[in-house]
């Protein structure tokens, strides 16, 4: 090939030599087993990493040829989950043709608590007078068909019997419980957590009521909850300040005025004054660590008394008296504040009392109001038979009773979240908890 | 573990407008054809012959009656003709013999025991299928969407259903049906065109020649063509028009001024051009407001219109959103939450522009406030997903490995009788 190229192209000797050299180089470096083209891909430089040998390489070719492809057949198969001999056809590997149909194991059935005639006569006959044997057996059949999905069972149940979902559940679970107890299998879930018919009926009644609520009612409730949150926060603030105040008044007696008012580190034992040497004149004019407002108020009082701190002669006696004055002033200011707050509180509580009275009157009038726009979705469940012991204690509506509960300490009862509380009484309970009006309060403000 | 097992079963989904067939395991039916057959009434050696292929029905021929194979409720009335239809369809589209194919049939959402029994009998006795399963449309639509519990709103050609499906079983006691669908809108649009003085001519009644820029329409003689044939062709034209122009408005039509709606230009096949304005929103509005509101609106705009003569069957219908809530309210309280958050809109009529968003909006207003309400359609919302969702569900069901034990086989039929279908196909 070299000679051909040479003769055709008539290359110079130098280039010939270079060519020859490079070719030799290439030929030298090219390892065996690697094709020329592959080698030239990487420009003669061997790759950094070793490559995995594909099975169809020269060495593995024999292995690849020995591979046998699995044969698939379109064959009829027997399905053990079926009760009959139907043989459908599907594609299956020939070598697997004797395997059991893999989907048959998915055919799981729920383990019903079943009974025979003897057991029925012994235990279940007198359990519930409303049910006879025929219907009980029909129910068991339905339960087996639909895997205890009571909602579907109820939907497909024969209309002549007229049973609700709860009745069906009740019958099944009470019978199952009785049977399990008699068979002494007490650790079954049905025995441990028995089905409570009354609770279910009540729960559905309240759930239905919840769904029938209108948008307005929901928004109202949201408002009230937000309002309560705000009031709670305010209350906490007041409580905190009261605590501080109480501490300050206590501390006053022990004489620690130069400390900040909100400082409740409670170091009542420490002596008055600054440690070490100090100039009294400086001490007199030194600003007391308290808020700007109180500082300015103190300045006003000093002005009225015609007392200018910087013009006082800084003797010991003067200093003593001056600190006394400061103490008294601070005490007076805090007491003023306290009085103001108390007065506000009283007025709010009075408003609240008025609102409560109005609300009571209105709620009496509204007792017979219709449920709402969607009365076509009429409640199928009758109101539950709430026994005497279930009457929540806060149901009373007497104004005198409410005024009794206006005392803040008594009002701090936690709102019970039991389903027995009617929405209105719950509102009332929440109202009593914090200072502030209910739905009527907006009216009074406007 | 791959849950599918292909036994080459066939899904046949018969609707009032189209019939979908195909193999189970496919995501789209092999054939979607109209549920009509043609009967040659011409005297001669072909008299009485039943034509089932759609192109052959479309073929221009005189003395040719076209009739549907199912009635407006979706039930088969003439089983002999249906048998011919089914056999031909399977042979032509799938090249399959009925005696070899496990057959999965769909049926309308209202339970009709007699229809089921008759169908089972015909399929086993006359067609000799090896095994059979009959399933309700709503259940299959919910499977197509991947849900086992949902509320299916199926608004099709002739009827609209609100059917709750719980764990793969339909709740018969809470299923609602209203006899209103896409055909109502079509007929109203046809009336509208008539009132405007535009007559819709079927394609065989004219010839159209295009000469450069000029198109010339020459009417042809239409004697000899039957009424049903003519109605079939006109319905097709109207349907194309309806699919292009109808729009569901985003607020109730009573609050909206019809004049403000953007008008739409359309040209019929015979060259007639016209514009349709607010009426394109008015007629689809029936699905959210009921028929009375439409009649009121028509009265307001004045002009000629024909009051619906027989609307007593639609008296309770005030909108699909109310149908949905009513259906859910009849179901058990414990499942209402799940039903509300899984509302599936399926059926060709739900493809109308703006339908789904309006539905979601209306539902949010009337559903209980503390529940999450979500109305959706099948994933991509393509034409097949709406029109053939029950086919897709049937295809999924028929190809599942765990389904193969549920077929109602010929042997079981022979041992227990047709009544066994009630037990085997819930």
């Amino acid at each position: 090939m070299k000679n051909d190229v040479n003769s055709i192209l008539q290359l110079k000797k130098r280039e010939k030599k270079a060519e020859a050299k490079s070719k030799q180089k290439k030929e030298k470096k090219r390892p065996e087993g690697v094709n020329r083209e592959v080698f030239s891909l990487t420009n003669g430089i061997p790759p950094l990493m070793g490559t995995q040998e594909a099975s169809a390489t020269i060495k593995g070719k024999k292995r690849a040829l020995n591979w046998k492809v699995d044969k698939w057949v379109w064959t009829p198969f027997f399905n053990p989950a079926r009760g009959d001999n139907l043989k459908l056809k599907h594609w299956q590997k020939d070598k697997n043709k004797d395997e059991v149909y893999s989907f048959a194991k998915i055919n799981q059935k729920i383990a019903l608590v079943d009974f025979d005639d003897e057991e029925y006569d012994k235990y279940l006959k007198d359990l519930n007078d409303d049910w006879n044997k025929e219907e009980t057996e029909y129910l068991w059949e339905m339960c087996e068909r639909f895997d205890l999905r009571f909602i579907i069972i109820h939907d497909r149940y024969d209309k002549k019997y007229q049973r609700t979902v709860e009745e069906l559940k009740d019958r099944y679970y009470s019978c199952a419980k009785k049977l399990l107890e008699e068979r002494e299998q007490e650790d079954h879930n049905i025995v441990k957590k028995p089905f409570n018919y009354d609770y279910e009926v009540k729960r559905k009644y309240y759930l239905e009521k919840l769904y029938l609520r209108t948008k307005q009612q929901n928004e109202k409730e949201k408002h009230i909850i937000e309002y309560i949150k705000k009031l709670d926060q305010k209350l906490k603030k007041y409580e905190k300040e009261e605590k501080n105040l109480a501490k300050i008044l206590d501390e006053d007696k022990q004489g620690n005025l130069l400390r900040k008012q909100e400082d409740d580190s409670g170091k009542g034992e420490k002596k008055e004054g600054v440690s070490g040497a100090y100039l009294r004149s400086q001490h007199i004019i030194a600003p007391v660590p308290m808020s700007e407002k109180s500082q300015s108020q103190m300045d006003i009082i000093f002005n009225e008394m015609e007392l200018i701190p910087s013009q006082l002669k800084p003797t010991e006696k003067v200093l003593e008296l001056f600190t006394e004055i400061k103490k008294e002033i601070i005490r007076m200011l805090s007491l003023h504040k306290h009085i103001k707050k108390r007065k506000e509180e009283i007025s709010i509580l009075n408003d609240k009392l008025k609102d409560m009275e109005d609300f009571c009157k209105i709620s009496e009038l509204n007792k017979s109001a219709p449920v709402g726009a969607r009365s076509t979705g009429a409640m199928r469940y009758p109101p539950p038979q709430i026994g005497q012991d279930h009457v929540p204690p806060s149901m009373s509506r007497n104004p005198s009773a409410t005024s009794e509960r206006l005392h803040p300490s008594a009002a701090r009862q936690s709102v019970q979240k039991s389903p027995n509380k009617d929405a209105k009484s719950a509102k009332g309970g929440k109202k009593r908890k914090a200072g502030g009006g209910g739905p009527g309060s907006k009216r009074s403000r406007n | 573990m791959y849950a599918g097992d292909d036994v080459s079963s066939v899904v046949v989904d018969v609707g009032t407008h189209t019939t979908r067939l195909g193999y189970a395991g496919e995501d789209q039916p092999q054939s979607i054809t109209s549920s009509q057959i043609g009967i040659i009434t011409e005297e001669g050696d072909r008299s009485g012959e039943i034509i089932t292929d759609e192109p052959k029905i479309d073929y221009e021929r005189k003395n040719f009656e076209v009739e549907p194979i199912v009635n407006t409720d979706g039930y088969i009335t003439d089983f002999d003709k249906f048998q011919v239809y089914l056999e031909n369809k399977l042979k032509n589209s799938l090249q399959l013999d009925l005696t070899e194919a496990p057959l999965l049939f769909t049926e309308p959402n209202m339970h009709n025991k007699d229809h089921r029994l008759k169908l089972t009998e015909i399929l086993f006795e006359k067609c000799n299928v090896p095994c059979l399963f009959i399933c309700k449309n709503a259940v299959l639509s919910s499977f197509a969407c991947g849900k086992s519990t949902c509320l299916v709103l199926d608004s099709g050609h002739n009827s609209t259903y609100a059917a709750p499906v719980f764990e793969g079983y339909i709740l018969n006691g809470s299923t609602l049906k209203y006899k209103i669908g896409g055909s109502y809108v079509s007929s109203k649009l046809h009336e509208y065109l008539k009132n405007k003085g535009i007559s819709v001519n079927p394609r065989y009644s004219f010839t159209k020649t295009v000469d450069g820029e000029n198109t010339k329409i020459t009417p042809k003689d239409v004697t000899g063509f039957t009424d049903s044939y003519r109605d079939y062709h006109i319905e097709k034209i109207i349907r194309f028009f309806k699919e292009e122009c109808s729009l569901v408005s985003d607020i109730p039509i009573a609050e909206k001024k019809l004049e403000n709606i953007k008008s739409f230009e359309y040209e019929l096949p015979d060259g007639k051009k016209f514009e349709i304005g607010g009426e394109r929103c008015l007629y689809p509005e029936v699905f959210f407001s009921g028929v009375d509101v439409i009649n009121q609106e028509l009265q307001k705009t004045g002009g000629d219109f024909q009051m619906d003569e027989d609307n007593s069957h639609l008296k309770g219908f005030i909108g699909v959103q109310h149908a949905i809530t009513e259906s859910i309210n009849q179901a058990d309280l414990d499942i209402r939450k799940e039903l509300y958050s899984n509302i599936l809109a399926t059926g060709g009529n739900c493809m109308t522009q703006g339908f789904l968003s309006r539905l979601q909006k209306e539902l949010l207003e009337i559903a209980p406030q503390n529940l999450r309400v979500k109305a959706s359609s099948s994933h991509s919302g393509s034409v097949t997903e709406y029109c053939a969702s029950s086919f897709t569900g049937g295809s999924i069901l028929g190809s599942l490995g765990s389904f193969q034990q549920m077929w109602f086989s010929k042997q079981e039929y022979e041992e227990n009788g047709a009544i066994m279908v009630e037990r085997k196909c819930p």
Side-chain angles (χ1 to χ4, degrees), chain A residues 343-381:
Chain A
K343 276 193 178 157
E344 267 181 30
E345 216 173 283
I346 289 174
S347 74
I348 288 171
L349 288 174
N350 273 331
D351 279 339
K352 202 180 77 171
L353 173 63
K354 209 177 113 196
D355 281 339
M356 291 268 270
E357 286 174 356
D358 288 342
F359 185 69
C360 283
K361 288 183 201 155
I362 291 170
S363 66
E364 288 292 320
L365 291 170
N366 278 350
K367 238 184 188 172
S368 51
V371 174
R374 260 169 287 110
S375 48
T376 45
M379 306 219 270
R380 292 175 295 166
Y381 297 93

Side-chain angles (χ1 to χ4, degrees), chain A residues 384-398:
Chain A
Q385 312 287 316
I386 305 174
Q388 278 301 310
D389 46 315
H390 289 300
V391 173
S394 50
M395 278 281 228
S396 56
R397 296 274 173 90
N398 301 322

Side-chain angles (χ1 to χ4, degrees), chain A residues 74 77 79 81-86 88-91 101-104 106-107 141 145-147 149 151-152 155-156 165-166 169 200 203-205 207-208 210-211 213-215 218 374 377 380-381, chain B residues 1-8 102 130-131 166-167 169-174 329-337 366 368-371 401-402 404-409 411-412 422-424 426:
Chain A
W74 178 252
F77 66 97
N79 188 344
R82 290 193 64 88
D84 63 359
N85 297 335
L86 177 72
L88 294 169
K89 295 185 183 170
H90 68 172
W91 286 107
Y101 189 50
S102 55
F103 292 106
I106 294 178
N107 188 27
E141 199 193 302
R145 256 175 87 183
F146 295 113
D147 300 318
R149 294 186 173 112
I151 292 173
I152 299 160
D155 183 62
R156 309 291 164 108
V165 184
E166 288 78 38
K169 282 188 190 174
E200 283 288 306
R203 178 178 69 87
K204 292 230 165 139
Y205 171 69
L207 191 60
E208 190 160 14
L210 184 69
Y211 286 151
R213 267 179 163 186
T214 57
K215 210 177 191 175
N218 266 333
R374 260 169 287 110
R380 292 175 295 166
Y381 297 93
Chain B
M1 175 185 156
Y2 175 56
D5 189 18
D6 180 17
V7 297
S8 193
C131 56
F166 177 68
E167 297 208 355
Y169 294 91
I170 193 172
L171 297 178
N172 287 323
S174 324
N329 283 340
Q330 288 181 14
D332 191 74
L333 284 154
D334 287 331
I335 59 172
R336 283 187 204 181
K337 181 173 172 196
I366 61 173
Q369 297 307 314
N370 45 0
L371 288 179
S402 36
Q404 305 313 323
Q405 73 207 45
M406 293 176 68
W407 293 105
F408 179 41
S409 67
Q411 186 183 354
E412 284 172 338
E422 290 288 289
R423 171 63 73 94
K424 278 242 120 183

Side-chain angles (χ1 to χ4, degrees), chain B residues 129-141:
Chain B
V129 294
C131 56
L132 169 69
F133 193 81
I134 306 182
C135 200
K136 299 238 165 23
N137 282 329
V139 176
L140 297 177
S141 299

Side-chain angles (χ1 to χ4, degrees), chain A residues 2-3 5-7 10-23:
Chain A
K2 266 193 259 176
N3 289 328
V5 170
N6 222 359
S7 59
Q10 289 170 352
L11 287 172
K12 290 182 186 171
K13 273 190 182 175
R14 247 189 290 159
E15 294 187 43
K16 256 198 275 173
K17 274 184 189 169
E19 271 189 320
K21 266 187 189 170
S22 63
K23 271 197 181 161

Side-chain angles (χ1 to χ4, degrees), chain B residues 89-342:
Chain B
K89 279 268 177 279
L90 284 175
K91 212 186 292 174
N92 295 337
S93 314
L94 304 179
Q95 283 82 46
L96 192 67
D97 192 3
L98 258 183
T99 56
E100 290 173 5
L103 210 61
L104 201 151
F105 241 84
T106 62
E107 60 170 3
N109 290 332
M110 290 309 249
H111 194 78
N112 186 338
K113 193 164 150 188
D114 299 322
H115 178 256
R116 265 193 166 194
L117 292 177
K118 193 75 204 285
L119 184 65
T120 318
E121 250 180 63
I122 298 287
L123 286 171
F124 278 128
E125 303 281 344
K126 298 232 178 119
C127 306
N128 289 312
V129 294
C131 56
L132 169 69
F133 193 81
I134 306 182
C135 200
K136 299 238 165 23
N137 282 329
V139 176
L140 297 177
S141 299
S142 68
F143 287 163
C145 217
K147 298 190 177 131
S148 58
T149 302
C150 67
L151 183 107
V152 177
L153 173 75
D154 186 351
S155 186
H157 189 240
N158 273 315
S159 32
T160 300
Y161 296 93
V165 175
F166 177 68
E167 297 208 355
Y169 294 91
I170 193 172
L171 297 178
N172 287 323
S174 324
T175 306
L176 293 175
K177 173 183 168 173
Y178 298 101
K179 283 192 169 182
I180 190 164
S183 62
Y184 175 86
V185 182
S186 296
S187 61
K188 282 282 172 235
L189 284 172
H190 195 187
E191 255 177 51
Y192 166 79
L193 290 176
K194 261 194 232 163
N195 291 337
K196 265 191 124 175
I198 301 167
S199 65
V200 182
N201 296 323
R203 283 183 188 268
Y204 58 78
S205 67
F206 59 88
T207 47
K208 192 170 174 182
T209 47
V210 180
D211 177 26
E213 280 202 9
N214 306 327
T215 49
K216 196 167 133 198
I217 309 284
T218 33
K220 275 164 52 174
D221 178 29
V222 289
T223 54
F225 289 105
T226 58
D227 285 346
S228 59
Y229 185 72
R230 181 200 67 205
D231 289 337
Y232 172 75
H233 278 270
I234 290 177
E235 195 266 329
K236 264 203 174 164
I237 297 171
I238 301 277
R239 185 165 51 90
F240 282 124
F241 169 51
K242 173 185 76 169
E243 285 171 9
E244 295 231 5
C245 84
S246 14
L247 185 65
V248 175
S249 82
D250 46 350
I251 56 172
I253 208 82
E255 301 166 17
K256 197 169 184 165
K257 283 198 191 279
L258 287 178
E259 299 85 48
N260 296 341
I261 297 167
K262 188 172 167 192
S263 66
F264 179 80
E265 252 189 39
Y266 193 74
E267 180 183 339
L268 287 173
D270 60 355
K272 297 198 186 104
K273 287 194 189 158
F274 60 91
E275 262 187 32
I276 180 168
E279 278 75 12
R280 60 195 280 233
C281 266
L282 177 64
Y283 300 117
E285 181 67 22
V286 75
F287 295 104
F288 293 98
S289 318
V291 185
D292 295 328
V293 173
I294 306 299
N295 286 336
Q296 277 170 25
E297 286 295 315
L298 284 172
Q299 271 181 320
K300 270 196 228 168
T301 56
D304 297 322
F305 76 100
Q306 284 170 327
M307 278 285 276
D308 272 320
E309 313 88 24
D310 175 26
N311 271 329
S312 53
H313 59 281
L314 290 174
K315 230 182 182 161
F317 183 70
I318 40 172
V320 291
Q321 71 274 32
H322 293 282
I324 289 175
T325 45
E326 171 130 13
S327 171
I328 295 184
N329 283 340
Q330 288 181 14
D332 191 74
L333 284 154
D334 287 331
I335 59 172
R336 283 187 204 181
K337 181 173 172 196
E338 216 178 330
L339 289 177
Y340 267 116
S341 55
N342 294 308

